Amino acid sequence: MTQILNYFENDPLKILYLIGGTGGIWFWVQEWRRRVRIRVRMVNGMINLAQSPNINVTVKVEVVNLGSSITSLEHMVEMTAFTAVEREKVAWSLNVVGADRSLEPHKAKFVELNGVCEASYPFTWYRTYRFRLTKGGDYVLRILNSSDKQLGPIGFFWRSLLFRWFGYASS
């Protein structure tokens, strides 16, 4: 303790470094807390088999802006998945339905996604939906299969790795 006191006793202006350094750290903490981010929850998904050989997919999600500033979704959501038998990666694009894509802070908004996918869509595993924002980082919604069970990043990575290597699909 005496070494610390001697450090400040030799040059008292070093106390300003200590106070300014903690203020600088507090500034970056506040910037981190104010960053733009969203949370997405799957509500339901519907499949229309009217178009052959492709199908019309409609997905309804709930999006919440967790940041403190207004942002909006890009007009397209990228969806990837793995086929059940060949375990190949497939990708489709889903469009956000409607012109109002803005996201107010801390308000839930239901968004509908619509797109045409191949007939193998209902039989895909480990789906990811990448939501891009006009301001802020992307959000990836990770779904196990048609049961719409959401997974975290680590669980999703581990399970999809087991599925791709060994064909093991846990539900």
Side-chain angles (χ1 to χ4, degrees):
M1 185 71 174
T2 58
Q3 291 177 343
I4 296 173
L5 291 176
N6 288 338
Y7 177 77
F8 290 114
E9 188 177 284
N10 292 338
D11 189 6
L13 290 178
K14 290 183 180 177
I15 294 175
L16 292 176
Y17 299 149
L18 177 69
I19 295 170
T22 57
I25 293 170
W26 184 249
F27 169 78
W28 289 112
V29 167
Q30 290 299 320
E31 285 295 310
W32 175 256
R33 293 181 69 201
R34 282 191 295 250
R35 73 190 187 281
V36 176
R37 62 195 189 280
I38 62 171
R39 177 92 54 226
V40 180
R41 182 180 66 90
M42 177 77 74
V43 176
N44 67 5
M46 296 179 59
I47 299 170
N48 185 359
L49 300 173
Q51 298 177 350
S52 180
N54 296 327
I55 58 176
N56 191 9
V57 176
T58 302
V59 177
K60 191 172 185 180
V61 294
E62 178 187 31
V63 182
V64 179
N65 180 1
L66 300 176
S68 60
S69 63
I70 297 174
T71 188
S72 63
L73 292 171
E74 290 287 341
H75 70 285
M76 196 170 293
V77 174
E78 299 169 5
M79 200 282 277
T80 61
F82 293 99
T83 58
V85 179
E86 299 88 12
R87 297 191 300 262
E88 295 175 346
K89 191 172 189 175
V90 291
W92 298 291
S93 295
L94 303 175
N95 294 321
V96 176
V97 176
D100 184 23
R101 299 186 317 255
S102 64
L103 300 171
E104 297 285 328
H106 307 289
K107 287 187 182 178
K109 183 175 188 174
F110 290 98
V111 176
E112 191 171 302
L113 310 172
N114 194 356
V116 176
C117 301
E118 295 175 8
S120 63
Y121 174 82
F123 309 106
T124 56
W125 284 77
Y126 301 102
R127 299 178 187 159
T128 62
Y129 298 86
R130 181 173 296 276
F131 293 84
R132 297 193 187 276
L133 301 175
T134 56
K135 177 183 175 186
D138 296 353
Y139 182 84
V140 178
L141 176 65
R142 296 167 182 89
I143 303 292
L144 178 63
N145 61 1
S146 61
S147 67
D148 295 339
K149 180 180 178 183
Q150 292 183 220
L151 298 172
I154 296 171
F156 181 85
F157 174 75
W158 178 248
R159 287 179 173 191
S160 65
L161 192 66
L162 289 175
F163 177 72
R164 286 183 285 171
W165 285 356
F166 305 114
Y168 176 73
S170 63
S171 54

